[in-house]
Amino acid sequence: MTRVFSGVKPTGHLTLGNYLGAVRRWAEVDQHRTEALFCVVDLHALTVAHDPARVRRLSRQAATLLLASGLDPVRCTVFVQSHVDEHARLSYLLECVATDGEMRRMIQYKEKAARERDRGGSVRLSLLTYPVLMAADILAYGADEVPVGDDQAQHVELARDLAVRFNQRYGLTFVVPRATPPQVAARVMNLQSPASKMGKSEDSGPGIVYLLDEPDVVRKKVMRAVTDSGEGVEYDREGRPGVANLLEILAACTDGNPESLASVYGSYGALKKDTADAVVEVLRPLQARHRELCADPGYVEGVLRDGAEKARALARPTVDTAYRAIGLLPPVPEPALNAVV
């Protein structure tokens, strides 16, 4: 069976973009057709300045929202990255295969490092190397597919390159994965700044719809979305990004097509109203299930404990094989208790 791995980073509250761009597909498609693992990648949240208590709180919230979105622990494995040591173990080996140039070409690193330099500061070393940890997340499980948005495709390509390079140098060890982006709303954009994605790392903002926003808040944000100066409703991602973003969101919520939907609307107001209603309806069952899970914290803890155990059992043989292949001495086994002295 095909194996899938993907994860969410607890650097902020999960957004509509996270759900439409990734999580909904995990629940509706991937967990039913594959052997699927979905992870709260909390180690990645340490690459920037953070409040430890907030990271813990957001990690739990992210896990709860994954379950509320429809991930079924009977069908898939849901766990927290730091609960499985194999991620960190393999990451260092892959750092010994990756190059400095590869890391510095990563778009997200270049953008964040440039912003920090403009402020007179510098970024953490872990921000430079975190794509290698992401590769370890994927390769440890022998994942065939990695469902990601287009902003993460470069990182999956790095995982492919590292897998091929390791296999060529040290013997066949890793499956070479491939990215599988969704067809519609792969990258939901900020409602107030449609040139930027709807990112959860931003603390707040009228352009970001969070999964736990109240219906009235969702409607207000969508109704105030930036559109464009042109007349009529037209789907043009490059020329009219604000309208295109609304059409893609509506299409993703209603299983429609953004080009076809554009011909239905004669005004921005009608498009915004229908988009807001569609988003509210999509989030309604998720929010109801989230409330139920919050009332039963022991269930979520049990899912994460069992998920980590399953993930560890899957990852350890591959990581142990990689340790032997690269030339590390195996640990000396403990002597048997009944051995003759």
Side-chain angles (χ1 to χ4, degrees), residues 20-88:
L20 295 181
V23 176
R24 185 174 67 169
R25 171 178 162 173
W26 301 350
E28 294 182 353
V29 178
D30 292 326
Q31 70 171 339
H32 299 285
R33 69 175 182 85
T34 66
E35 183 179 11
L37 299 101
F38 301 112
C39 182
V40 178
V41 287
D42 55 342
L43 294 175
H44 292 293
L46 309 185
T47 61
V48 295
H50 63 277
D51 172 22
R54 186 171 186 264
V55 170
R56 285 191 291 270
R57 184 171 65 253
L58 290 175
S59 296
R60 185 180 186 86
Q61 183 187 85
T64 305
L65 282 169
L66 291 182
L67 297 174
S69 298
L71 293 186
D72 181 354
V74 174
R75 295 181 177 274
C76 66
T77 303
V78 181
F79 66 105
V80 175
Q81 179 191 32
S82 64
H83 295 176
V84 180
D85 293 343
E86 277 63 33
H87 292 255

Side-chain angles (χ1 to χ4, degrees), residues 87-287:
H87 292 255
R89 290 179 62 208
L90 182 56
S91 182
Y92 181 73
L93 295 196
L94 295 180
E95 285 186 16
C96 297
V97 177
T99 67
D100 176 75
E102 285 175 315
M103 297 300 97
R104 296 187 186 278
R105 285 195 296 271
M106 294 289 112
I107 293 172
Q108 291 192 24
Y109 170 76
K110 290 198 297 184
E111 291 177 349
K112 292 179 180 179
R115 286 198 297 269
E116 194 62 34
R117 282 196 301 270
D118 291 342
R119 292 195 288 261
S122 61
V123 297
R124 299 182 180 192
L125 177 61
S126 56
L127 183 67
L128 177 66
T129 60
Y130 99 89
V132 177
L133 176 57
M134 181 175 173
D137 299 337
I138 298 164
L139 300 182
Y141 297 101
D144 304 284
E145 298 179 4
V146 188
V148 293
D150 56 4
D151 60 320
Q152 292 292 329
Q154 186 185 35
H155 292 151
V156 179
E157 192 60 36
L158 174 70
R160 290 174 54 84
D161 292 342
L162 295 180
V164 169
R165 192 176 306 155
F166 192 102
N167 290 346
Q168 289 174 341
R169 290 180 181 176
Y170 305 115
L172 184 60
T173 305
F174 298 118
V175 173
V176 180
R178 62 183 182 276
T180 54
Q183 297 301 309
V184 177
R187 196 175 190 188
V188 177
M189 312 306 281
N190 188 298
L191 295 173
Q192 291 297 314
S193 179
S196 304
K197 74 171 184 175
M198 189 180 285
K200 63 180 177 299
S201 297
E202 300 176 47
D203 289 334
S204 62
I208 306 169
V209 176
Y210 296 104
L211 296 187
L212 297 179
D213 277 346
E214 295 290 336
D216 288 347
V217 174
V218 172
R219 289 193 171 91
K220 183 180 295 185
K221 289 179 177 180
V222 176
M223 295 303 294
R224 293 179 178 177
V226 168
T227 49
D228 309 293
S229 58
E231 295 183 2
V233 176
E234 179 184 359
Y235 182 70
D236 179 357
R237 167 53 75 183
E238 297 299 322
R240 305 180 67 180
V243 173
N245 189 38
L246 290 171
L247 288 167
E248 288 196 351
I249 292 171
L250 179 59
C253 290
T254 60
D255 296 323
N257 178 279
E259 291 92 343
S260 300
L261 286 169
S263 64
V264 174
Y265 293 95
S267 70
Y268 295 154
L271 171 61
K272 288 181 176 181
K273 180 181 182 302
D274 284 0
T275 302
D277 289 343
V279 172
V280 168
E281 289 306 309
V282 161
L283 296 184
R284 192 185 305 280
L286 181 153
Q287 293 178 351

